[in-house]
């Protein structure tokens, strides 16, 4: 049975390092405990927060409800021809799963090396980096419905994945707790090195036929050079999503800002680099009280030590207003605001 704690600090449980408290807190290490908890009186009485590594959350106030921290361990794999289906407990640290797969020679998630957080959260926003998204290897996940304590298997189609998006952020928001995720990986890996920064770094290292281990190492090094380490500077990665706009709106912006960073997006739309937009508004590397943007990446908001969630949120609102005023583009937050 999981131990129910009362009035605990969530500071160690969010990578922004915001010092708020939770009224109740329970850590789940197996499905039996989860079912017991879901059948208890607390469910229905208390508002709930399902928590993994807290690396995509900004707390703006105390959480006056029950936090369920999902820490279910375990990785197993089943071979299927040239493929292997790897199933991981939701509480496994995402990068531990990546490193396990790289060591076993299972290809497909090496480009997602060093993304913080847990495996259970990976389908929620369809994590992505360096030309790969979780959806590219996703087989299925198992989740418990909070209202009934019953399990459901979600297939690729069920999850309705999009850019930093899935059904778990929309119709099924806060309704399911993911307990395991299965990925279909390749035993004869075909590396994906289309992303410019990976290609350049492999060339710098004179690696012409990269292995998945090389790609993992290069991606990890690029990330360390660009992004602040949450163990020393609180942050939650990209604070906003890269905006996707239609071609007509893009053509108008392009006339005024011919050097704008952009990429093709599905359905003839255009994706803009939010970091570039924010930098053009003069926000890169600025310090505002205890918060600010990272010096190497304007899209990452940071806690310089004593920021409150309200302070970070208000600062993010200043950025939204400035980008809207200059480019007529409305930035959407990627980070979950609580
Ligand atoms: P949490 O922050 O704990 O939770 C995030 C959301 O998922 C919440 O809504 C929560 O309720 C829900 N949730 C968590 N676990 C479960 C579960 N088991 N069942 C149901 N719901 C659940 N993201 C990227 O996509 N690409 C990147 O390159 C990237 N880089 C980052 C770099 C840094 C330095 C940081 C700090 C973050 C970065 N992120 C990136 C964001 C973050 O790592 C991912 O969103 C990650 O998947 C969050 O995992 P978590 O376990 O910390 O989730
Ligand atoms: N840029 C600037 N100024 C900045 C930051 C970026 O001009 O301050 C420009 C860069 O020069 C580059 C472009 O913007 O031309 C894109 O920058 P970068 O390659 O750093 O990637 P990003 O679009 O800012 C996205 C993801 C990251 C992911 C990287 C690598 C989003 C919201 N962010 O960042 O994901 O790791 O690509 O694939 O899609 C996250 O989601 O938390 C996250 C870190």
């Amino acid at each position: 049975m999981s131990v129910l704690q009362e009035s605990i600090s969530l500071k160690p449980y969010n990578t922004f390092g915001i010092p708020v408290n939770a009224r109740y807190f329970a850590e789940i290490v197996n499905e039996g405990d989860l079912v017991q908890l879901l059948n208890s009186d607390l469910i229905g009485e208390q508002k709930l927060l399902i928590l993994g590594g807290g690396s995509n959350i900004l707390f703006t106030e105390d959480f006056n409800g029950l936090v369920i921290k999902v820490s279910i361990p375990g990785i197993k794999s089943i071979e299927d021809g040239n493929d292997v289906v790897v199933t991981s407990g939701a509480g496994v640290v995402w990068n531990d799963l990546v490193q396990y797969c790289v060591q076993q020679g299972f290809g497909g998630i090496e480009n997602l090396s060093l993304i913080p957080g847990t495996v259970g959260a990976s389908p929620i926003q369809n994590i992505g980096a360096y030309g790969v998204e979780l959806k590219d290897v996703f087989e299925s996940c198992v989740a418990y419905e909070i209202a009934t304590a019953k399990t459901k298997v979600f297939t690729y189609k069920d999850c309705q994945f999009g850019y930093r998006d899935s059904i778990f952020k929309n119709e099924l928001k806060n309704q399911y707790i993911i307990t395991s995720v299965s990925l279909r990986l390749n035993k004869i890996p075909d590396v994906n090195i289309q992303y410019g920064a990976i290609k350049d770094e492999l060339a710098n290292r004179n690696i012409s036929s990269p292995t998945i281990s090389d790609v993992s190492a290069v991606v990890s090094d690029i990330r360390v050079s660009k992004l602040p380490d949450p163990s020393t500077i609180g942050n939650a990665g990209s604070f906003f999503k890269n905006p996707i706009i239609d071609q007509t709106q893009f053509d108008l912006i392009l006339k005024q800002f011919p050097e704008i960073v952009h990429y093709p997006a599905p359905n003839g739309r255009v994706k803009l680099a939010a970091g570039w937009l924010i930098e053009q508004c003069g926000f890169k590397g600025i310090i505002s009280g205890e918060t600010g943007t990272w010096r190497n990446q304007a899209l990452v908001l940071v806690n310089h030590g004593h920021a409150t969630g309200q302070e970070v949120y208000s600062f993010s609102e200043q950025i939204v207003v400035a980008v809207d005023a200059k480019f007529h583009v409305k930035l959407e937050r990627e980070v979950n605001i609580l």
Side-chain angles (χ1 to χ4, degrees):
M1 173 62 186
S2 62
V3 180
L4 186 69
Q5 294 174 267
E6 264 184 75
S7 289
I8 78 137
S9 169
L10 292 176
K11 189 173 178 188
Y13 297 105
N14 72 98
T15 61
F16 252 119
I18 304 292
V20 293
N21 293 324
R23 179 159 184 203
Y24 296 107
F25 183 93
E27 186 165 14
I28 295 299
V29 293
N30 60 54
E31 295 184 29
D33 285 356
L34 177 57
V35 171
Q36 219 172 347
L37 185 65
L38 290 180
N39 285 321
S40 75
D41 291 344
L42 280 171
I43 306 299
E45 273 176 12
Q46 298 294 325
K47 67 173 185 170
L48 294 184
L49 170 64
I50 314 308
L51 189 66
S55 64
N56 209 20
I57 287 181
L58 176 69
F59 288 108
T60 57
E61 56 186 11
D62 287 340
F63 188 76
N64 189 18
L66 168 64
V67 173
I68 302 179
K69 164 125 178 80
V70 182
S71 298
I72 298 171
I75 301 177
K76 58 182 192 221
S77 54
I78 297 174
E79 312 226 341
D80 180 13
N82 286 342
D83 291 351
V84 54
V85 176
V86 177
T87 299
S88 166
V92 170
V93 169
W94 171 261
N95 193 47
D96 290 352
L97 176 64
V98 173
Q99 296 313 320
Y100 165 86
C101 292
V102 168
Q103 272 159 24
Q104 300 294 314
F106 302 158
I109 52 174
E110 55 282 358
N111 295 46
L112 304 179
S113 294
L114 223 59
I115 295 181
T118 56
V119 170
S122 62
I124 306 290
Q125 73 156 7
N126 175 29
I127 56 169
Y130 297 96
V132 172
E133 288 184 328
L134 182 81
K135 72 172 175 53
D136 303 332
V137 292
F138 182 87
E139 177 84 357
S140 62
C141 67
V142 176
Y144 280 75
E145 190 179 24
I146 293 169
T148 60
K150 298 226 161 67
T151 51
K152 177 173 158 66
V153 176
F154 287 84
T155 62
Y156 171 87
K157 215 170 155 218
D158 295 332
C159 292
Q160 297 178 15
F161 290 123
Y163 164 61
R164 297 293 189 272
D165 204 20
S166 76
I167 195 162
F168 301 110
K169 285 178 77 176
N170 295 292
E171 289 102 291
L172 299 185
K173 192 172 164 72
N174 298 331
Q175 289 182 38
Y176 281 87
I177 300 179
I178 295 174
T179 50
S180 71
V181 176
S182 296
L183 307 178
R184 181 169 287 273
L185 303 177
N186 200 328
K187 285 189 292 169
I188 309 165
D190 185 14
V191 292
N192 175 341
I193 53 165
Q194 289 318 302
Y195 207 91
I198 302 185
K199 256 194 219 158
D200 296 347
E201 193 48 38
L202 286 168
N204 279 343
R205 298 178 189 195
N206 291 320
I207 300 173
S208 51
S209 305
T211 61
I212 54 174
S213 177
D214 294 327
V215 173
S216 173
V218 160
V219 166
S220 301
D221 289 350
I222 297 170
R223 294 183 65 96
V224 168
S225 72
K226 277 196 182 175
L227 298 169
D229 175 358
S231 66
T232 50
I233 304 241
N235 76 92
S238 300
F239 198 87
F240 301 99
K241 295 194 225 177
N242 285 328
I244 298 176
I245 61 173
D246 62 34
Q247 185 72 42
T248 327
Q249 188 186 1
F250 176 68
D251 290 341
L252 288 172
I253 302 176
L254 186 65
K255 258 191 213 151
Q256 215 185 332
F257 303 97
E259 70 292 8
I260 189 166
V261 179
H262 63 282
Y263 322 92
N267 306 319
R269 305 184 84 209
V270 182
K271 193 192 256 190
L272 305 179
W276 186 88
L277 299 173
I278 297 169
E279 181 172 352
Q280 298 305 306
C281 293
F283 277 94
K284 187 168 181 171
I286 75 160
I287 296 175
S288 166
E290 288 289 331
T291 185
T293 53
W294 186 233
R295 56 177 177 266
N296 298 334
Q297 231 302 358
L299 189 47
V300 177
L301 270 60
V302 294
N303 174 3
H304 286 295
H306 301 284
T308 62
Q310 285 289 352
E311 189 180 5
V312 177
Y313 185 82
S314 304
F315 179 65
S316 76
E317 197 52 35
Q318 285 180 39
I319 293 178
V320 171
V321 169
V323 168
D324 194 16
K326 192 172 173 99
F327 297 102
H328 304 294
V329 169
K330 190 109 177 88
L331 291 180
E332 247 183 73
R333 291 172 180 84
E334 175 189 305
V335 171
N336 298 281
I337 310 294
L338 278 160

